[in-house]
Amino acid sequence: MAQQKKSLMTRFLEGKERSEEYARSTLPTNRWQLFWDIFKGNFWKIVKANLLTLLFFLPMIALIVIMVFMKNTQGEIYPFATHVGAGYPFYNVQGTAEALAITNNYILCIGLIVTSFIASVGLAGGMYVIRNMVWTEGVFVANDFWRGIKLNYKNALQATLFFLIIFSLCSVLISFANGYIASELVTKSQRVWLIISKATSYVFIVFTGMLSMWLIALGVNYKLGFFAMLRNAFLLTVGSLPQTIFFIALAALPFVTLFFSGFFMVVGIMMLLLFGIAYALLVWLDFAQWMFDKYINPRVTGAKVGRGIFNKDGTSSVEDDAQAVQEYQKTLLAYGKSRLVARPIKPIDDGLEVYDLPTSFTREDLQKLRESKETIAKDIEAYEQEHKDEPRYVEYNKQFEAREKALQAPTGKNGKPKKYKPPKLLGQ
């Protein structure tokens, strides 16, 4: 009764802000709210993560800018009219632009694949920082960024190379199709098939891009082999195609403005420098976490559902409690019974002290030392006997009763010792 009065008075004086339920209720209740809370509450951390990521994307960006300038320069220098020349004969330069485009695509694709090894460093660190934000964990941008590089560089590189290799092959096929169509050396039926092949290549590039985005999300959340991730990425893409298209388009908004001119391009460049890449990762990983909570995490042992989200009906807290109990039991069985926890240990008592031997001691002093040690040992034993039936010690020791009985079990019918089977944990 006194304990209840004390807790009521504490709650009255301290307010509901100190209660765990109130702290959980201040969390967002859905992924849209979580995105906005992260974006406005961690904006400068997002800027820092974006700048670190962008630093490793600079070689790839520089390559793209150089190729764009090269294409524009070629358009001004080379005469791409159908027939060019004065007098006779006329020189037919039809198809020259397409031939140059094939060469430019070769250079661009090789350069993108090479620079992807550097860009993947920034992608690995950036997606790890943003994932921790989505999980509502404490984020130290610099430390988490470099830790993310160590943990996720392989996954980031696999996803990047997968997309760029498919993109390069499709781009080259599109360039060859454009060249054949412009050369007028193909029939009408062949032209139709070439146009169909171009459209198929574009669709394949888009679909590969969606697969790569799912590879990034899976790689930063789970430990899977590449082919296992690719299979899951395919299932997630096909199973959530409308949502995947919508959220990829939403994540790509800062980059769309770069294709405009004038004011919109300036705005796009500023967004890219400040938060463009981090914003895209935040949108995508937030959506991906919602998909994982819906389809994957409930089936994965030990995976937490609804990270950073407050469930008003309280189901998530129950799941978290069950998982905490499961982890506690696993730890107990893994490390064995501790003598420091399994039995009462008397606190230090100033009333009992070990006899201090003088510099020149006699047999009587040694006897006093022995008696003081025996007194302390008896006092400790008495304290242990007095408190051994307290619930905390009884419950702790019960965790190991089944294990000890199994180890002491008799032999089986064949005379061999029975194989020990540990008790099942919660959720198994």
Side-chain angles (χ1 to χ4, degrees), residues 105-120:
N105 280 341
Y106 277 133
I107 299 173
L108 177 62
C109 293
I110 294 173
L112 287 176
I113 292 174
V114 172
T115 55
S116 68
F117 286 86
I118 303 175
S120 297

Side-chain angles (χ1 to χ4, degrees), residues 298-310:
R299 298 177 175 86
V300 178
T301 303
K304 294 184 179 180
V305 179
R307 285 178 179 264
I309 300 297
F310 172 68

Side-chain angles (χ1 to χ4, degrees), residues 40 69 71 104 118 124 140 177 208 234 252 283 297 316 338 358 404:
K40 70 179 181 180
F69 277 112
K71 182 178 179 180
N104 292 339
I118 303 175
F140 298 92
T208 305
F234 179 81
V283 171
N297 289 337
S316 63
S338 172
E404 293 175 354

Side-chain angles (χ1 to χ4, degrees), residues 395-426:
E395 292 297 328
Y396 181 84
N397 290 319
K398 280 183 179 180
Q399 299 287 337
F400 299 90
E401 287 181 358
R403 188 177 188 180
E404 293 175 354
K405 289 180 180 179
L407 291 175
Q408 299 173 0
T411 58
K413 295 181 180 180
N414 56 1
K416 295 182 180 180
K418 290 184 178 180
K419 186 177 180 181
Y420 166 67
K421 293 182 179 180
K424 289 187 177 181
L425 301 176
L426 292 177

Side-chain angles (χ1 to χ4, degrees), residues 88-343:
Y88 182 84
F90 293 97
Y91 295 97
N92 189 348
V93 293
Q94 190 171 2
T96 304
E98 288 74 14
L100 289 173
I102 294 174
T103 304
N104 292 339
N105 280 341
Y106 277 133
I107 299 173
L108 177 62
C109 293
I110 294 173
L112 287 176
I113 292 174
V114 172
T115 55
S116 68
F117 286 86
I118 303 175
S120 297
V121 177
L123 180 61
M127 68 188 193
Y128 184 78
V129 172
I130 299 301
R131 188 215 64 178
N132 288 348
M133 290 184 182
V134 173
W135 283 6
T136 61
E137 295 183 354
V139 174
F140 298 92
V141 177
N143 293 337
D144 289 349
F145 188 86
W146 298 117
R147 178 174 172 79
I149 293 173
K150 296 178 181 179
L151 295 177
N152 299 308
Y153 177 72
K154 180 181 177 181
N155 295 327
L157 182 62
Q158 287 175 343
T160 307
L161 286 178
F162 174 73
F163 172 72
L164 290 178
I165 290 173
I166 302 298
F167 172 80
S168 301
L169 294 175
C170 292
S171 298
V172 172
L173 291 176
I174 293 171
S175 299
F176 274 109
N178 289 332
Y180 279 114
I181 293 172
S183 65
E184 297 182 353
L185 298 176
V186 294
T187 63
K188 290 184 178 180
S189 61
Q190 291 174 337
R191 185 187 299 270
V192 172
W193 283 109
L194 288 172
I195 294 173
I196 293 175
S197 69
K198 284 176 56 179
T200 305
S201 297
Y202 283 120
V203 172
F204 206 66
I205 290 174
V206 173
F207 188 75
T208 305
M210 291 188 287
L211 286 178
S212 301
M213 294 295 290
W214 279 115
L215 288 175
I216 290 173
L218 287 167
V220 78
N221 281 275
Y222 306 101
K223 293 182 179 180
L224 296 171
F226 175 74
F227 291 103
M229 282 197 301
L230 186 60
R231 181 177 64 255
N232 288 307
F234 179 81
L235 295 175
L236 287 167
T237 303
V238 174
S240 63
L241 188 59
Q243 298 95 323
T244 297
I245 294 174
F246 173 77
F247 281 99
I248 288 180
L250 187 64
L253 284 179
F255 303 95
V256 173
T257 56
L258 295 174
F259 293 95
F260 295 93
S261 59
F263 173 75
F264 291 101
M265 179 177 286
V266 174
V267 172
I269 293 174
M270 293 299 298
M271 287 193 297
L272 177 63
L273 292 176
L274 285 177
F275 58 81
I277 300 177
Y279 161 83
L281 290 173
L282 178 59
V283 171
W284 179 251
L285 292 179
D286 190 24
F287 161 68
Q289 192 63 43
W290 176 75
M291 290 291 294
F292 296 156
D293 287 341
K294 189 174 182 181
Y295 297 107
I296 298 179
N297 289 337
R299 298 177 175 86
V300 178
T301 303
K304 294 184 179 180
V305 179
R307 285 178 179 264
I309 300 297
F310 172 68
N311 198 336
K312 292 182 179 180
D313 59 11
T315 55
S316 63
S317 62
V318 173
E319 292 173 355
D320 291 342
D321 292 342
Q323 291 174 358
V325 172
Q326 182 178 355
E327 294 298 324
Y328 174 69
Q329 291 180 344
K330 286 182 179 179
T331 303
L332 288 179
L333 296 176
Y335 291 97
K337 183 188 293 187
S338 172
R339 290 180 56 83
L340 298 177
V341 185
R343 62 189 179 90

